[in-house]
């Protein structure tokens, strides 16, 4: 028996979603050895994080729907779920980012010149 099932596009799409994500740690480690500009480093880091996030969302949506994701009736629902997860993730990220930045700003004024306070800010 053939271990790969080619009757449905689900398995190749799941594999593609998994394998398409780049490894940002390895990429950035290589780039840091050649001393690139900080702007280029930030751009590549952001792109690789976005690529990983899209891969995770795509894999999750395909796994939820299984073979039913490839029917014409399910395509709009799958696309809306994909967009909902992506937009929801962005909103959660912005919320936590702004909250932690606000908390860090308020605590930094209080603990700026004490060593124990600075360690607390790092944690």
């Amino acid at each position: 028996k053939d271990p790969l099932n080619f009757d449905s596009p689900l398995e190749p799409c799941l594999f593609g979603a998994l394998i398409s994500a780049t490894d940002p740690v390895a990429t950035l480690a290589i780039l840091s050895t050649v001393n690139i500009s900080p702007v280029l480093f930030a751009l590549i880091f952001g792109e690789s994080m976005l690529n990983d996030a899209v891969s995770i969302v795509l894999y999750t949506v395909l796994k939820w729907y299984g073979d039913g994701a490839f029917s014409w009736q399910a395509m709009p629902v799958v696309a809306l779920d994909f967009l909902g997860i992506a937009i929801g993730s962005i909103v959660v990220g912005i919320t936590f980012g702004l909250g932690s930045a606000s908390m860090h700003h308020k605590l930094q004024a209080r603990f700026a010149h004490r060593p124990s306070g600075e360690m607390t800010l790092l944690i």
Side-chain angles (χ1 to χ4, degrees), residues 85-104:
I85 292 171
I87 292 170
S89 298
I90 291 170
V91 169
V92 168
I94 289 172
T95 303
F96 274 95
L98 290 175
S100 64
S102 173
M103 183 176 69
H104 184 275

Side-chain angles (χ1 to χ4, degrees), residues 64-93:
W64 276 347
Y65 285 99
D67 287 329
F70 298 101
S71 68
W72 287 107
Q73 294 83 13
M75 288 282 185
V77 176
V78 171
L80 287 174
D81 277 350
F82 180 84
L83 287 175
I85 292 171
I87 292 170
S89 298
I90 291 170
V91 169
V92 168

Side-chain angles (χ1 to χ4, degrees), residues 104 107-108 111-123:
H104 184 275
L107 291 176
Q108 186 178 15
F111 297 115
H113 301 290
R114 289 191 260 163
S116 62
E118 290 178 6
M119 290 304 294
T120 303
L121 287 174
L122 288 176
I123 295 174

Side-chain angles (χ1 to χ4, degrees), residues 17-85:
L18 285 175
I19 205 72
S20 67
T22 58
D23 184 14
V25 175
T27 304
L28 296 175
I30 291 170
L31 291 176
S32 66
T33 61
V34 294
N35 295 327
I36 63 170
S37 72
V39 173
L40 182 60
F41 187 86
L43 286 173
I44 293 173
F45 177 76
E47 188 276 330
S48 61
M49 289 293 117
L50 181 65
N51 189 17
D52 287 353
V54 169
S55 295
I56 291 168
V57 171
L58 182 62
Y59 181 84
T60 302
V61 169
L62 287 173
K63 196 72 172 160
W64 276 347
Y65 285 99
D67 287 329
F70 298 101
S71 68
W72 287 107
Q73 294 83 13
M75 288 282 185
V77 176
V78 171
L80 287 174
D81 277 350
F82 180 84
L83 287 175
I85 292 171

